[in-house]
Amino acid sequence: MTEQTALPDTSVEGKPDAAVVRDALGVGIAVGLSGFAFGVTSAGSGLTLAQTCALSLLVFTGASQFALVGALAAGGNPLTAAAGAFFLGVRNAFYGLRLSQLLALPRAVRPFAAQWVIDETTAVALAQPTRRSVRIGFTVTGLTLYLLWNLTTLLGALGAEAIGDTDAWGLDAAGPAVFLALLAPMLRTTTERATAALAVLLGLGLLPVLPAGVPVLVAALAAPAVLWARGRRGSGAEQDSAREGDR
């Protein structure tokens, strides 16, 4: 029997298209503005305007971009900096595995859609109840964020001196803050909350001792660890019940 992995095209609980577009625009605009911080940081680390803009156009995953320019600004080796950014971006491949099922796009479109598989588009897509709303949310978020991120990257790199210290603006925190706001309401069960809590502990705990990007990958082990522990508890409960029945 084939497992049902895709959402239905229609649903009685489906959100209006306008509501999906509104939510997607809100995420795209809020996170896209943090491109200012990347442009300034990249310019301050010694990258040229062309290099800075190329990173946003081609890489387009904020965490990896910040990791790369941050390592370069700290005097790190370019190869080491690139490796850390690569490891941090690996998570998008796992997002793509799930989104490919939900979006069910034609094969010819998938390579182009893959460019927009990032934290924010994934969060918006997963929050939708139907395939239509998933596609709308993913497309609007991706398009808005891609355009605004690249525009603000350009403006930030051009006006690096005028903008000043990005830490004072807090623009680099916009992306993670929006992602957490989207994720929190989706943690409905004890298993989901336990997985999220363990992932946070692993990610933050290993951050000072592992290279950039690696703690995020290790944090992904939280899901199988929690499921394994849950399975062990279930097996133990079944064995206790069986013993009680034998008495």
Side-chain angles (χ1 to χ4, degrees), residues 101-123:
Q101 299 172 339
L102 298 179
L103 293 168
L105 297 173
R107 291 185 179 274
V109 179
R110 292 178 187 178
F112 301 98
Q115 177 70 355
W116 291 352
V117 176
I118 54 176
D119 295 335
E120 292 77 20
T121 55
T122 301

Side-chain angles (χ1 to χ4, degrees), residues 9 18 27 37 47 84-85 87 92 144 146 156 162 181 184 189 194-195 203 206 225 238 245 247:
D9 289 321
V27 173
L47 271 68
F87 281 120
N92 293 338
T144 305
Y146 189 76
T189 67
T195 301
L206 296 175
E238 290 179 359
R247 291 178 182 176

Side-chain angles (χ1 to χ4, degrees), residues 187 190-204 206 214-231 233:
L187 303 177
T190 301
T191 300
E192 291 169 348
R193 295 189 185 100
T195 301
L198 180 58
V200 170
L201 290 176
L202 288 173
L204 295 180
L206 296 175
V214 178
V216 175
L217 299 179
V218 177
L221 298 176
V226 170
L227 292 176
W228 176 81
R230 182 182 177 185
R233 285 200 303 270

Side-chain angles (χ1 to χ4, degrees), residues 38 52-60 65 115 146 149-150 153:
F38 172 71
T52 297
C53 292
L55 278 174
S56 284
L57 285 168
L58 302 177
V59 178
F60 187 55
Q65 293 177 229
Q115 177 70 355
Y146 189 76
W149 177 268
N150 281 281
T153 293

Side-chain angles (χ1 to χ4, degrees), residues 174-185 187 200:
V178 172
F179 184 73
L180 289 176
L182 290 167
L183 178 64
L187 303 177
V200 170

